[in-house]
Amino acid sequence: NAGVTQTPKFRVLKTGQSMTLLCAQDMNHEYMYWYRQDPGMGLRLIHYSVGEGTTAKGEVPDGYNVSRLKKQNFLLGLESAAPSQTSVYFCASSDRDRGIVAFFGQGTRLTVV
Amino acid sequence: AQSVTQPDIHITVSEGASLELRCNYSYGATPYLFWYVQSPGQGLQLLLKYFSGDTLVQGIKGFEAEFKRSQSSFNLRKPSVHWSDAAEYFCAVGASTDYKLSFGAGTTVTVRA
């Protein structure tokens, strides 16, 4: 049982490049979330999804897009990376039956130079 | 909109001493409340959760938290800390309507011998 898996774990991008972060969960959870973690800022919600085919904006959505075409996957895209997007990105999933207890992936460390 | 405030950025405590981490939340309805712990370079692990019922909840690793509706607080406590409790601690609030999950900025705990 893998839980929540994030791919890749590390990435360095040049300013202006694009990339997609993949989050996969095998717990059949309804809800999925993308956060970014920056020193002194805690975890800030970028986008989230309450079901397949649905997405919603969080606190800091600008510069990011997401898609949830399959229930088990939640993709986070950066169309044109900026140095301000250097961060550690965490994906999480949860389920209403468990009171939205979130299970987290191990994180993706992204550096934009 | 929901929000979480953790007033203490950094706390230093002696091994064997008691620990209390503060958390205040803002949410119009009855919230789901959580405490998570993050060790360096790791993902987040759930310590405990509150949904309803008994306002004093027990978690893993000897932690407990008390929900006080009148104060909009959910403070985390441990009677006697161990060196392994050194980590960053996050309080989170979940909305029972749209299942959005928001985190505080975190409190870093240092344990001195």
Side-chain angles (χ1 to χ4, degrees), chain A residues 25-64:
Chain A
Q25 53 96 1
D26 61 3
M27 296 172 283
N28 201 36
H29 283 171
E30 298 170 59
Y31 315 128
M32 297 187 75
Y33 311 84
W34 275 109
Y35 294 89
R36 59 177 290 173
Q37 184 178 28
D38 303 290
M41 307 287 288
L43 280 79
R44 292 182 291 170
L45 183 64
I46 305 172
H47 287 279
Y48 64 108
S49 168
V50 298
E52 182 178 321
T54 71
T55 62
K57 293 180 180 180
E59 305 166 58
V60 289
D62 294 342
Y64 304 96

PDB file of all heavy atoms in Angstrom, chain A residues 25-64:
ATOM      1  N   GLN A  25      -2.647   8.568  -5.624  1.00  0.00           N
ATOM      2  CA  GLN A  25      -3.031   7.929  -4.355  1.00  0.00           C
ATOM      3  C   GLN A  25      -3.791   6.648  -4.651  1.00  0.00           C
ATOM      4  O   GLN A  25      -4.577   6.581  -5.590  1.00  0.00           O
ATOM      5  CB  GLN A  25      -3.845   8.889  -3.482  1.00  0.00           C
ATOM      6  CG  GLN A  25      -5.062   9.525  -4.138  1.00  0.00           C
ATOM      7  CD  GLN A  25      -6.373   8.829  -3.871  1.00  0.00           C
ATOM      8  OE1 GLN A  25      -6.438   7.826  -3.144  1.00  0.00           O
ATOM      9  NE2 GLN A  25      -7.453   9.346  -4.471  1.00  0.00           N
ATOM     10  N   ASP A  26      -3.561   5.656  -3.807  1.00  0.00           N
ATOM     11  CA  ASP A  26      -4.178   4.353  -4.021  1.00  0.00           C
ATOM     12  C   ASP A  26      -5.167   4.009  -2.917  1.00  0.00           C
ATOM     13  O   ASP A  26      -5.450   2.837  -2.660  1.00  0.00           O
ATOM     14  CB  ASP A  26      -3.098   3.271  -4.133  1.00  0.00           C
ATOM     15  CG  ASP A  26      -2.246   3.139  -2.872  1.00  0.00           C
ATOM     16  OD1 ASP A  26      -2.519   3.855  -1.877  1.00  0.00           O
ATOM     17  OD2 ASP A  26      -1.295   2.337  -2.888  1.00  0.00           O
ATOM     18  N   MET A  27      -5.713   5.029  -2.252  1.00  0.00           N
ATOM     19  CA  MET A  27      -6.638   4.807  -1.136  1.00  0.00           C
ATOM     20  C   MET A  27      -8.082   5.114  -1.517  1.00  0.00           C
ATOM     21  O   MET A  27      -8.958   5.147  -0.656  1.00  0.00           O
ATOM     22  CB  MET A  27      -6.206   5.685   0.045  1.00  0.00           C
ATOM     23  CG  MET A  27      -4.832   5.305   0.578  1.00  0.00           C
ATOM     24  SD  MET A  27      -4.174   6.457   1.810  1.00  0.00           S
ATOM     25  CE  MET A  27      -3.634   7.797   0.756  1.00  0.00           C
ATOM     26  N   ASN A  28      -8.310   5.377  -2.796  1.00  0.00           N
ATOM     27  CA  ASN A  28      -9.651   5.683  -3.296  1.00  0.00           C
ATOM     28  C   ASN A  28     -10.265   6.917  -2.617  1.00  0.00           C
ATOM     29  O   ASN A  28     -11.474   7.005  -2.421  1.00  0.00           O
ATOM     30  CB  ASN A  28     -10.599   4.479  -3.111  1.00  0.00           C
ATOM     31  CG  ASN A  28     -11.795   4.550  -4.038  1.00  0.00           C
ATOM     32  OD1 ASN A  28     -11.687   5.005  -5.180  1.00  0.00           O
ATOM     33  ND2 ASN A  28     -12.943   4.116  -3.567  1.00  0.00           N
ATOM     34  N   HIS A  29      -9.398   7.868  -2.261  1.00  0.00           N
ATOM     35  CA  HIS A  29      -9.874   9.074  -1.603  1.00  0.00           C
ATOM     36  C   HIS A  29     -10.552  10.014  -2.583  1.00  0.00           C
ATOM     37  O   HIS A  29     -10.151  10.143  -3.740  1.00  0.00           O
ATOM     38  CB  HIS A  29      -8.708   9.806  -0.944  1.00  0.00           C
ATOM     39  CG  HIS A  29      -8.264   9.171   0.338  1.00  0.00           C
ATOM     40  ND1 HIS A  29      -7.122   9.563   1.005  1.00  0.00           N
ATOM     41  CD2 HIS A  29      -8.819   8.191   1.091  1.00  0.00           C
ATOM     42  CE1 HIS A  29      -6.991   8.847   2.105  1.00  0.00           C
ATOM     43  NE2 HIS A  29      -7.999   7.993   2.173  1.00  0.00           N
ATOM     44  N   GLU A  30     -11.568  10.718  -2.058  1.00  0.00           N
ATOM     45  CA  GLU A  30     -12.312  11.667  -2.887  1.00  0.00           C
ATOM     46  C   GLU A  30     -11.556  12.981  -3.059  1.00  0.00           C
ATOM     47  O   GLU A  30     -11.608  13.601  -4.109  1.00  0.00           O
ATOM     48  CB  GLU A  30     -13.655  11.990  -2.222  1.00  0.00           C
ATOM     49  CG  GLU A  30     -14.581  10.798  -2.054  1.00  0.00           C
ATOM     50  CD  GLU A  30     -15.763  11.152  -1.176  1.00  0.00           C
ATOM     51  OE1 GLU A  30     -16.503  12.092  -1.546  1.00  0.00           O
ATOM     52  OE2 GLU A  30     -15.939  10.526  -0.125  1.00  0.00           O
ATOM     53  N   TYR A  31     -10.897  13.430  -2.004  1.00  0.00           N
ATOM     54  CA  TYR A  31     -10.355  14.776  -2.004  1.00  0.00           C
ATOM     55  C   TYR A  31      -8.838  14.739  -2.149  1.00  0.00           C
ATOM     56  O   TYR A  31      -8.158  13.914  -1.548  1.00  0.00           O
ATOM     57  CB  TYR A  31     -10.710  15.507  -0.705  1.00  0.00           C
ATOM     58  CG  TYR A  31     -12.143  15.337  -0.300  1.00  0.00           C
ATOM     59  CD1 TYR A  31     -12.476  14.902   0.965  1.00  0.00           C
ATOM     60  CD2 TYR A  31     -13.169  15.594  -1.209  1.00  0.00           C
ATOM     61  CE1 TYR A  31     -13.793  14.713   1.325  1.00  0.00           C
ATOM     62  CE2 TYR A  31     -14.486  15.408  -0.853  1.00  0.00           C
ATOM     63  CZ  TYR A  31     -14.795  14.965   0.418  1.00  0.00           C
ATOM     64  OH  TYR A  31     -16.093  14.779   0.774  1.00  0.00           O
ATOM     65  N   MET A  32      -8.341  15.670  -2.938  1.00  0.00           N
ATOM     66  CA  MET A  32      -6.896  15.789  -3.111  1.00  0.00           C
ATOM     67  C   MET A  32      -6.492  17.253  -3.081  1.00  0.00           C
ATOM     68  O   MET A  32      -7.282  18.126  -3.460  1.00  0.00           O
ATOM     69  CB  MET A  32      -6.439  15.117  -4.416  1.00  0.00           C
ATOM     70  CG  MET A  32      -6.714  13.596  -4.409  1.00  0.00           C
ATOM     71  SD  MET A  32      -6.025  12.721  -5.816  1.00  0.00           S
ATOM     72  CE  MET A  32      -4.267  12.688  -5.394  1.00  0.00           C
ATOM     73  N   TYR A  33      -5.274  17.493  -2.622  1.00  0.00           N
ATOM     74  CA  TYR A  33      -4.806  18.856  -2.363  1.00  0.00           C
ATOM     75  C   TYR A  33      -3.358  19.012  -2.830  1.00  0.00           C
ATOM     76  O   TYR A  33      -2.567  18.081  -2.751  1.00  0.00           O
ATOM     77  CB  TYR A  33      -4.830  19.170  -0.867  1.00  0.00           C
ATOM     78  CG  TYR A  33      -6.115  18.824  -0.145  1.00  0.00           C
ATOM     79  CD1 TYR A  33      -6.348  17.528   0.323  1.00  0.00           C
ATOM     80  CD2 TYR A  33      -7.086  19.793   0.093  1.00  0.00           C
ATOM     81  CE1 TYR A  33      -7.510  17.207   0.990  1.00  0.00           C
ATOM     82  CE2 TYR A  33      -8.258  19.481   0.769  1.00  0.00           C
ATOM     83  CZ  TYR A  33      -8.458  18.186   1.224  1.00  0.00           C
ATOM     84  OH  TYR A  33      -9.618  17.873   1.894  1.00  0.00           O
ATOM     85  N   TRP A  34      -3.039  20.221  -3.276  1.00  0.00           N
ATOM     86  CA  TRP A  34      -1.652  20.608  -3.518  1.00  0.00           C
ATOM     87  C   TRP A  34      -1.314  21.795  -2.630  1.00  0.00           C
ATOM     88  O   TRP A  34      -2.034  22.802  -2.610  1.00  0.00           O
ATOM     89  CB  TRP A  34      -1.414  20.997  -4.974  1.00  0.00           C
ATOM     90  CG  TRP A  34      -1.129  19.845  -5.875  1.00  0.00           C
ATOM     91  CD1 TRP A  34      -1.929  19.317  -6.838  1.00  0.00           C
ATOM     92  CD2 TRP A  34       0.086  19.085  -5.923  1.00  0.00           C
ATOM     93  NE1 TRP A  34      -1.308  18.269  -7.459  1.00  0.00           N
ATOM     94  CE2 TRP A  34      -0.065  18.108  -6.921  1.00  0.00           C
ATOM     95  CE3 TRP A  34       1.294  19.135  -5.218  1.00  0.00           C
ATOM     96  CZ2 TRP A  34       0.929  17.189  -7.245  1.00  0.00           C
ATOM     97  CZ3 TRP A  34       2.279  18.233  -5.528  1.00  0.00           C
ATOM     98  CH2 TRP A  34       2.101  17.263  -6.531  1.00  0.00           C
ATOM     99  N   TYR A  35      -0.188  21.666  -1.908  1.00  0.00           N
ATOM    100  CA  TYR A  35       0.304  22.725  -1.045  1.00  0.00           C
ATOM    101  C   TYR A  35       1.730  23.065  -1.449  1.00  0.00           C
ATOM    102  O   TYR A  35       2.457  22.237  -1.973  1.00  0.00           O
ATOM    103  CB  TYR A  35       0.339  22.273   0.418  1.00  0.00           C
ATOM    104  CG  TYR A  35      -0.993  22.000   1.035  1.00  0.00           C
ATOM    105  CD1 TYR A  35      -1.569  20.735   0.969  1.00  0.00           C
ATOM    106  CD2 TYR A  35      -1.688  22.997   1.705  1.00  0.00           C
ATOM    107  CE1 TYR A  35      -2.797  20.474   1.542  1.00  0.00           C
ATOM    108  CE2 TYR A  35      -2.924  22.743   2.293  1.00  0.00           C
ATOM    109  CZ  TYR A  35      -3.461  21.490   2.209  1.00  0.00           C
ATOM    110  OH  TYR A  35      -4.676  21.237   2.784  1.00  0.00           O
ATOM    111  N   ARG A  36       2.123  24.275  -1.099  1.00  0.00           N
ATOM    112  CA  ARG A  36       3.529  24.618  -1.168  1.00  0.00           C
ATOM    113  C   ARG A  36       3.981  25.013   0.238  1.00  0.00           C
ATOM    114  O   ARG A  36       3.206  25.607   1.008  1.00  0.00           O
ATOM    115  CB  ARG A  36       3.814  25.735  -2.161  1.00  0.00           C
ATOM    116  CG  ARG A  36       3.120  27.054  -1.932  1.00  0.00           C
ATOM    117  CD  ARG A  36       3.556  28.089  -2.960  1.00  0.00           C
ATOM    118  NE  ARG A  36       4.947  28.519  -2.750  1.00  0.00           N
ATOM    119  CZ  ARG A  36       5.612  29.306  -3.574  1.00  0.00           C
ATOM    120  NH1 ARG A  36       5.034  29.758  -4.687  1.00  0.00           N
ATOM    121  NH2 ARG A  36       6.861  29.652  -3.314  1.00  0.00           N
ATOM    122  N   GLN A  37       5.202  24.638   0.571  1.00  0.00           N
ATOM    123  CA  GLN A  37       5.742  24.940   1.886  1.00  0.00           C
ATOM    124  C   GLN A  37       6.969  25.808   1.739  1.00  0.00           C
ATOM    125  O   GLN A  37       7.941  25.411   1.076  1.00  0.00           O
ATOM    126  CB  GLN A  37       6.087  23.659   2.656  1.00  0.00           C
ATOM    127  CG  GLN A  37       6.573  23.944   4.070  1.00  0.00           C
ATOM    128  CD  GLN A  37       6.867  22.683   4.868  1.00  0.00           C
ATOM    129  OE1 GLN A  37       7.204  21.645   4.320  1.00  0.00           O
ATOM    130  NE2 GLN A  37       6.718  22.780   6.173  1.00  0.00           N
ATOM    131  N   ASP A  38       6.937  26.956   2.363  1.00  0.00           N
ATOM    132  CA  ASP A  38       8.049  27.893   2.350  1.00  0.00           C
ATOM    133  C   ASP A  38       8.401  28.248   3.787  1.00  0.00           C
ATOM    134  O   ASP A  38       7.509  28.314   4.642  1.00  0.00           O
ATOM    135  CB  ASP A  38       7.670  29.157   1.571  1.00  0.00           C
ATOM    136  CG  ASP A  38       7.232  28.837   0.152  1.00  0.00           C
ATOM    137  OD1 ASP A  38       8.102  28.440  -0.637  1.00  0.00           O
ATOM    138  OD2 ASP A  38       6.028  28.966  -0.155  1.00  0.00           O
ATOM    139  N   PRO A  39       9.659  28.496   4.065  1.00  0.00           N
ATOM    140  CA  PRO A  39      10.084  28.805   5.442  1.00  0.00           C
ATOM    141  C   PRO A  39       9.263  29.939   6.046  1.00  0.00           C
ATOM    142  O   PRO A  39       9.117  31.006   5.454  1.00  0.00           O
ATOM    143  CB  PRO A  39      11.548  29.203   5.256  1.00  0.00           C
ATOM    144  CG  PRO A  39      11.983  28.492   4.027  1.00  0.00           C
ATOM    145  CD  PRO A  39      10.786  28.486   3.121  1.00  0.00           C
ATOM    146  N   GLY A  40       8.740  29.694   7.241  1.00  0.00           N
ATOM    147  CA  GLY A  40       7.970  30.709   7.949  1.00  0.00           C
ATOM    148  C   GLY A  40       6.560  30.920   7.448  1.00  0.00           C
ATOM    149  O   GLY A  40       5.819  31.732   8.007  1.00  0.00           O
ATOM    150  N   MET A  41       6.181  30.198   6.397  1.00  0.00           N
ATOM    151  CA  MET A  41       4.845  30.397   5.807  1.00  0.00           C
ATOM    152  C   MET A  41       3.940  29.198   6.035  1.00  0.00           C
ATOM    153  O   MET A  41       2.753  29.249   5.723  1.00  0.00           O
ATOM    154  CB  MET A  41       4.963  30.652   4.300  1.00  0.00           C
ATOM    155  CG  MET A  41       5.915  31.754   3.919  1.00  0.00           C
ATOM    156  SD  MET A  41       5.271  33.380   4.299  1.00  0.00           S
ATOM    157  CE  MET A  41       4.017  33.559   3.059  1.00  0.00           C
ATOM    158  N   GLY A  42       4.478  28.134   6.540  1.00  0.00           N
ATOM    159  CA  GLY A  42       3.667  26.937   6.717  1.00  0.00           C
ATOM    160  C   GLY A  42       3.293  26.331   5.380  1.00  0.00           C
ATOM    161  O   GLY A  42       4.007  26.496   4.376  1.00  0.00           O
ATOM    162  N   LEU A  43       2.190  25.638   5.354  1.00  0.00           N
ATOM    163  CA  LEU A  43       1.677  25.049   4.113  1.00  0.00           C
ATOM    164  C   LEU A  43       0.558  25.934   3.590  1.00  0.00           C
ATOM    165  O   LEU A  43      -0.409  26.203   4.298  1.00  0.00           O
ATOM    166  CB  LEU A  43       1.143  23.642   4.340  1.00  0.00           C
ATOM    167  CG  LEU A  43       2.176  22.529   4.406  1.00  0.00           C
ATOM    168  CD1 LEU A  43       2.842  22.490   5.757  1.00  0.00           C
ATOM    169  CD2 LEU A  43       1.536  21.186   4.096  1.00  0.00           C
ATOM    170  N   ARG A  44       0.697  26.341   2.361  1.00  0.00           N
ATOM    171  CA  ARG A  44      -0.337  27.166   1.745  1.00  0.00           C
ATOM    172  C   ARG A  44      -0.999  26.386   0.619  1.00  0.00           C
ATOM    173  O   ARG A  44      -0.318  25.812  -0.237  1.00  0.00           O
ATOM    174  CB  ARG A  44       0.260  28.478   1.226  1.00  0.00           C
ATOM    175  CG  ARG A  44       0.736  29.410   2.341  1.00  0.00           C
ATOM    176  CD  ARG A  44       1.274  30.707   1.786  1.00  0.00           C
ATOM    177  NE  ARG A  44       2.529  30.492   1.064  1.00  0.00           N
ATOM    178  CZ  ARG A  44       3.131  31.414   0.321  1.00  0.00           C
ATOM    179  NH1 ARG A  44       2.557  32.603   0.166  1.00  0.00           N
ATOM    180  NH2 ARG A  44       4.276  31.157  -0.283  1.00  0.00           N
ATOM    181  N   LEU A  45      -2.303  26.403   0.634  1.00  0.00           N
ATOM    182  CA  LEU A  45      -3.081  25.619  -0.313  1.00  0.00           C
ATOM    183  C   LEU A  45      -3.066  26.278  -1.685  1.00  0.00           C
ATOM    184  O   LEU A  45      -3.437  27.444  -1.829  1.00  0.00           O
ATOM    185  CB  LEU A  45      -4.517  25.470   0.209  1.00  0.00           C
ATOM    186  CG  LEU A  45      -5.469  24.632  -0.611  1.00  0.00           C
ATOM    187  CD1 LEU A  45      -5.005  23.183  -0.665  1.00  0.00           C
ATOM    188  CD2 LEU A  45      -6.880  24.712  -0.018  1.00  0.00           C
ATOM    189  N   ILE A  46      -2.680  25.506  -2.690  1.00  0.00           N
ATOM    190  CA  ILE A  46      -2.610  26.036  -4.051  1.00  0.00           C
ATOM    191  C   ILE A  46      -3.938  25.777  -4.758  1.00  0.00           C
ATOM    192  O   ILE A  46      -4.625  26.699  -5.193  1.00  0.00           O
ATOM    193  CB  ILE A  46      -1.459  25.396  -4.843  1.00  0.00           C
ATOM    194  CG1 ILE A  46      -0.126  25.561  -4.092  1.00  0.00           C
ATOM    195  CG2 ILE A  46      -1.365  25.997  -6.245  1.00  0.00           C
ATOM    196  CD1 ILE A  46       1.014  24.778  -4.716  1.00  0.00           C
ATOM    197  N   HIS A  47      -4.257  24.508  -4.927  1.00  0.00           N
ATOM    198  CA  HIS A  47      -5.523  24.081  -5.511  1.00  0.00           C
ATOM    199  C   HIS A  47      -5.954  22.813  -4.801  1.00  0.00           C
ATOM    200  O   HIS A  47      -5.129  22.116  -4.207  1.00  0.00           O
ATOM    201  CB  HIS A  47      -5.375  23.766  -7.001  1.00  0.00           C
ATOM    202  CG  HIS A  47      -5.213  24.945  -7.894  1.00  0.00           C
ATOM    203  ND1 HIS A  47      -6.281  25.717  -8.329  1.00  0.00           N
ATOM    204  CD2 HIS A  47      -4.106  25.474  -8.464  1.00  0.00           C
ATOM    205  CE1 HIS A  47      -5.822  26.669  -9.131  1.00  0.00           C
ATOM    206  NE2 HIS A  47      -4.506  26.551  -9.223  1.00  0.00           N
ATOM    207  N   TYR A  48      -7.239  22.506  -4.903  1.00  0.00           N
ATOM    208  CA  TYR A  48      -7.700  21.246  -4.365  1.00  0.00           C
ATOM    209  C   TYR A  48      -8.840  20.717  -5.234  1.00  0.00           C
ATOM    210  O   TYR A  48      -9.345  21.422  -6.119  1.00  0.00           O
ATOM    211  CB  TYR A  48      -8.122  21.374  -2.887  1.00  0.00           C
ATOM    212  CG  TYR A  48      -9.294  22.272  -2.610  1.00  0.00           C
ATOM    213  CD1 TYR A  48     -10.526  21.728  -2.241  1.00  0.00           C
ATOM    214  CD2 TYR A  48      -9.177  23.654  -2.671  1.00  0.00           C
ATOM    215  CE1 TYR A  48     -11.603  22.550  -1.965  1.00  0.00           C
ATOM    216  CE2 TYR A  48     -10.242  24.470  -2.394  1.00  0.00           C
ATOM    217  CZ  TYR A  48     -11.451  23.923  -2.030  1.00  0.00           C
ATOM    218  OH  TYR A  48     -12.516  24.742  -1.766  1.00  0.00           O
ATOM    219  N   SER A  49      -9.182  19.470  -4.947  1.00  0.00           N
ATOM    220  CA  SER A  49     -10.226  18.812  -5.740  1.00  0.00           C
ATOM    221  C   SER A  49     -11.096  17.972  -4.817  1.00  0.00           C
ATOM    222  O   SER A  49     -10.571  17.246  -3.968  1.00  0.00           O
ATOM    223  CB  SER A  49      -9.577  17.913  -6.799  1.00  0.00           C
ATOM    224  OG  SER A  49     -10.536  17.059  -7.389  1.00  0.00           O
ATOM    225  N   VAL A  50     -12.386  18.087  -4.999  1.00  0.00           N
ATOM    226  CA  VAL A  50     -13.304  17.297  -4.170  1.00  0.00           C
ATOM    227  C   VAL A  50     -13.894  16.120  -4.935  1.00  0.00           C
ATOM    228  O   VAL A  50     -14.811  15.453  -4.447  1.00  0.00           O
ATOM    229  CB  VAL A  50     -14.424  18.174  -3.555  1.00  0.00           C
ATOM    230  CG1 VAL A  50     -13.819  19.231  -2.640  1.00  0.00           C
ATOM    231  CG2 VAL A  50     -15.276  18.806  -4.636  1.00  0.00           C
ATOM    232  N   GLY A  51     -13.363  15.870  -6.107  1.00  0.00           N
ATOM    233  CA  GLY A  51     -13.820  14.711  -6.862  1.00  0.00           C
ATOM    234  C   GLY A  51     -13.254  14.722  -8.261  1.00  0.00           C
ATOM    235  O   GLY A  51     -12.759  15.752  -8.752  1.00  0.00           O
ATOM    236  N   GLU A  52     -13.340  13.571  -8.909  1.00  0.00           N
ATOM    237  CA  GLU A  52     -12.844  13.446 -10.281  1.00  0.00           C
ATOM    238  C   GLU A  52     -13.500  14.495 -11.175  1.00  0.00           C
ATOM    239  O   GLU A  52     -14.718  14.681 -11.129  1.00  0.00           O
ATOM    240  CB  GLU A  52     -13.183  12.047 -10.785  1.00  0.00           C
ATOM    241  CG  GLU A  52     -12.694  11.733 -12.180  1.00  0.00           C
ATOM    242  CD  GLU A  52     -13.038  10.293 -12.570  1.00  0.00           C
ATOM    243  OE1 GLU A  52     -12.947   9.400 -11.702  1.00  0.00           O
ATOM    244  OE2 GLU A  52     -13.407  10.076 -13.736  1.00  0.00           O
ATOM    245  N   GLY A  53     -12.674  15.185 -11.932  1.00  0.00           N
ATOM    246  CA  GLY A  53     -13.185  16.179 -12.865  1.00  0.00           C
ATOM    247  C   GLY A  53     -13.477  17.533 -12.246  1.00  0.00           C
ATOM    248  O   GLY A  53     -13.899  18.460 -12.943  1.00  0.00           O
ATOM    249  N   THR A  54     -13.245  17.700 -10.946  1.00  0.00           N
ATOM    250  CA  THR A  54     -13.499  18.988 -10.286  1.00  0.00           C
ATOM    251  C   THR A  54     -12.223  19.520  -9.659  1.00  0.00           C
ATOM    252  O   THR A  54     -11.411  18.758  -9.127  1.00  0.00           O
ATOM    253  CB  THR A  54     -14.548  18.869  -9.175  1.00  0.00           C
ATOM    254  OG1 THR A  54     -13.984  18.142  -8.076  1.00  0.00           O
ATOM    255  CG2 THR A  54     -15.787  18.154  -9.654  1.00  0.00           C
ATOM    256  N   THR A  55     -12.043  20.835  -9.731  1.00  0.00           N
ATOM    257  CA  THR A  55     -10.919  21.477  -9.059  1.00  0.00           C
ATOM    258  C   THR A  55     -11.386  22.817  -8.507  1.00  0.00           C
ATOM    259  O   THR A  55     -12.394  23.375  -8.976  1.00  0.00           O
ATOM    260  CB  THR A  55      -9.722  21.719  -9.999  1.00  0.00           C
ATOM    261  OG1 THR A  55     -10.126  22.608 -11.048  1.00  0.00           O
ATOM    262  CG2 THR A  55      -9.214  20.415 -10.595  1.00  0.00           C
ATOM    263  N   ALA A  56     -10.660  23.324  -7.525  1.00  0.00           N
ATOM    264  CA  ALA A  56     -10.994  24.615  -6.933  1.00  0.00           C
ATOM    265  C   ALA A  56      -9.703  25.313  -6.510  1.00  0.00           C
ATOM    266  O   ALA A  56      -8.698  24.658  -6.230  1.00  0.00           O
ATOM    267  CB  ALA A  56     -11.908  24.434  -5.729  1.00  0.00           C
ATOM    268  N   LYS A  57      -9.769  26.648  -6.489  1.00  0.00           N
ATOM    269  CA  LYS A  57      -8.592  27.421  -6.121  1.00  0.00           C
ATOM    270  C   LYS A  57      -8.429  27.471  -4.605  1.00  0.00           C
ATOM    271  O   LYS A  57      -9.404  27.558  -3.859  1.00  0.00           O
ATOM    272  CB  LYS A  57      -8.715  28.844  -6.663  1.00  0.00           C
ATOM    273  CG  LYS A  57      -8.671  28.922  -8.174  1.00  0.00           C
ATOM    274  CD  LYS A  57      -8.787  30.369  -8.641  1.00  0.00           C
ATOM    275  CE  LYS A  57      -8.732  30.430 -10.160  1.00  0.00           C
ATOM    276  NZ  LYS A  57      -8.852  31.839 -10.648  1.00  0.00           N
ATOM    277  N   GLY A  58      -7.178  27.448  -4.191  1.00  0.00           N
ATOM    278  CA  GLY A  58      -6.858  27.624  -2.788  1.00  0.00           C
ATOM    279  C   GLY A  58      -6.413  29.048  -2.506  1.00  0.00           C
ATOM    280  O   GLY A  58      -6.900  29.996  -3.115  1.00  0.00           O
ATOM    281  N   GLU A  59      -5.442  29.186  -1.617  1.00  0.00           N
ATOM    282  CA  GLU A  59      -4.972  30.509  -1.204  1.00  0.00           C
ATOM    283  C   GLU A  59      -4.023  31.152  -2.206  1.00  0.00           C
ATOM    284  O   GLU A  59      -3.983  32.371  -2.364  1.00  0.00           O
ATOM    285  CB  GLU A  59      -4.232  30.396   0.132  1.00  0.00           C
ATOM    286  CG  GLU A  59      -4.996  29.757   1.266  1.00  0.00           C
ATOM    287  CD  GLU A  59      -4.058  29.396   2.399  1.00  0.00           C
ATOM    288  OE1 GLU A  59      -3.379  30.301   2.931  1.00  0.00           O
ATOM    289  OE2 GLU A  59      -3.965  28.188   2.736  1.00  0.00           O
ATOM    290  N   VAL A  60      -3.201  30.333  -2.869  1.00  0.00           N
ATOM    291  CA  VAL A  60      -2.144  30.873  -3.741  1.00  0.00           C
ATOM    292  C   VAL A  60      -2.167  30.181  -5.102  1.00  0.00           C
ATOM    293  O   VAL A  60      -1.207  29.521  -5.501  1.00  0.00           O
ATOM    294  CB  VAL A  60      -0.754  30.737  -3.064  1.00  0.00           C
ATOM    295  CG1 VAL A  60      -0.625  31.696  -1.903  1.00  0.00           C
ATOM    296  CG2 VAL A  60      -0.511  29.297  -2.604  1.00  0.00           C
ATOM    297  N   PRO A  61      -3.224  30.340  -5.892  1.00  0.00           N
ATOM    298  CA  PRO A  61      -3.362  29.585  -7.141  1.00  0.00           C
ATOM    299  C   PRO A  61      -2.627  30.182  -8.345  1.00  0.00           C
ATOM    300  O   PRO A  61      -2.435  29.483  -9.355  1.00  0.00           O
ATOM    301  CB  PRO A  61      -4.870  29.636  -7.383  1.00  0.00           C
ATOM    302  CG  PRO A  61      -5.279  30.950  -6.783  1.00  0.00           C
ATOM    303  CD  PRO A  61      -4.397  31.135  -5.578  1.00  0.00           C
ATOM    304  N   ASP A  62      -2.222  31.448  -8.260  1.00  0.00           N
ATOM    305  CA  ASP A  62      -1.669  32.118  -9.437  1.00  0.00           C
ATOM    306  C   ASP A  62      -0.375  31.463  -9.896  1.00  0.00           C
ATOM    307  O   ASP A  62       0.539  31.220  -9.109  1.00  0.00           O
ATOM    308  CB  ASP A  62      -1.436  33.599  -9.133  1.00  0.00           C
ATOM    309  CG  ASP A  62      -2.731  34.345  -8.894  1.00  0.00           C
ATOM    310  OD1 ASP A  62      -3.799  33.822  -9.293  1.00  0.00           O
ATOM    311  OD2 ASP A  62      -2.683  35.435  -8.314  1.00  0.00           O
ATOM    312  N   GLY A  63      -0.306  31.216 -11.214  1.00  0.00           N
ATOM    313  CA  GLY A  63       0.879  30.604 -11.793  1.00  0.00           C
ATOM    314  C   GLY A  63       0.831  29.090 -11.846  1.00  0.00           C
ATOM    315  O   GLY A  63       1.776  28.461 -12.343  1.00  0.00           O
ATOM    316  N   TYR A  64      -0.247  28.517 -11.348  1.00  0.00           N
ATOM    317  CA  TYR A  64      -0.398  27.059 -11.316  1.00  0.00           C
ATOM    318  C   TYR A  64      -1.729  26.657 -11.965  1.00  0.00           C
ATOM    319  O   TYR A  64      -2.705  27.386 -11.893  1.00  0.00           O
ATOM    320  CB  TYR A  64      -0.408  26.535  -9.880  1.00  0.00           C
ATOM    321  CG  TYR A  64       0.781  26.917  -9.060  1.00  0.00           C
ATOM    322  CD1 TYR A  64       0.741  28.028  -8.222  1.00  0.00           C
ATOM    323  CD2 TYR A  64       1.945  26.147  -9.075  1.00  0.00           C
ATOM    324  CE1 TYR A  64       1.831  28.387  -7.450  1.00  0.00           C
ATOM    325  CE2 TYR A  64       3.042  26.490  -8.301  1.00  0.00           C
ATOM    326  CZ  TYR A  64       2.974  27.610  -7.490  1.00  0.00           C
ATOM    327  OH  TYR A  64       4.057  27.961  -6.717  1.00  0.00           O
TER     328      TYR A  64
END
